[in-house]
Every structure is written in structure tokens, then in C-alpha cells.
Amino acid sequence: MDIYIGTYTEDSESDGIYHCSFDAGTGELAGATLAVEAENPSFLAKDSQSDLVYAASEVDLAEVLSFSRRADGSLMPVDRVRTGGSAACHVAFSSAHAAVFAANYVDGSVMGCPVGVDGRFNGLPQ
């Protein structure tokens, strides 16, 4: 099973989102490698209806980043949208997966934005 791990990159040796394999039979995590460089991708959400992964970029001008998964486990950047707040710390989907929502830690605001099946953000965040 593929596992993705978000990290803090500011003042650390981390470079972004890491990928590793999980063996449910043994409980072993193996082969952690950098899947994609990203700034403070602190929270990740995998879309269960696609091969898309979303990350909250926990920075001053917070963003939600979307990525498509490649066969080798690496991630390819697809799109990004500003959340209108600071330090995005959570990402969630609408029940139909037609919108992505983000919560911002510093100012306590929430943003929602329509998203296409390709991971591109459609329209303006609200």
C-alpha cells in the first residue's frame, strides 16, 4: 500500500512530501523517498475517487496544492489555490468530491473551492 507523509520544510532537512510502502501483514514501512518538493505540506488528503493527493501548504499565504500520483509513487504538481488565510492546516472534500475545503490555523478561517476531476481548481475560492 502506498503511504504519503507530509512534513514541515521550514528550518528542517525535509523537502516536501515523502512516499513509502506499507506492508499490512508485517506492519513495516519501507523505502521512504521524496515524492515531490513542496513548502510545509503539513496535512495531506487522498481523493478516494481518483489518483489525486491534496496538501495544505502551512505558510503565511496559505495554499492547497493538488498532485497526481505516478506509477512509481512520485507526485506531479497539478494546481494550487490560495486559501485566503494563513497556515492552512487541514484539507477535506465535499461528499461528491466536487469541492475542496481548507482550514487556516492562524486566523481560523475556512476556504472552499470547486475542483475538477483532473485536480484543477475551478473558479474562485470562497
Side-chain angles (χ1 to χ4, degrees), residues 45-78:
K46 162 70 175 81
D47 185 343
S48 63
Q49 298 178 0
S50 71
D51 275 339
L52 297 168
V53 175
Y54 294 85
S57 181
E58 195 169 333
V59 295
D60 287 340
L61 295 175
E63 296 179 306
V64 174
L65 314 171
S66 63
F67 304 94
S68 62
R69 296 183 338 155
R70 294 181 175 137
D72 66 358
S74 65
L75 297 174
M76 182 174 67
V78 173

Side-chain angles (χ1 to χ4, degrees), residues 8 10 39-43 55-64 81-91 101-111:
Y8 288 107
E10 191 174 311
E39 189 175 9
N40 284 351
S42 63
F43 186 90
S57 181
E58 195 169 333
V59 295
D60 287 340
L61 295 175
E63 296 179 306
V64 174
V81 66
R82 288 229 171 115
T83 67
S86 183
C89 60
H90 189 78
V91 178
F101 298 91
N104 296 302
Y105 180 78
V106 172
D107 56 9
S109 62
V110 176
M111 176 279 300

Side-chain angles (χ1 to χ4, degrees), residues 15-27:
D15 293 317
I17 300 171
Y18 290 81
H19 168 259
C20 57
S21 297
F22 176 68
D23 183 327
T26 65

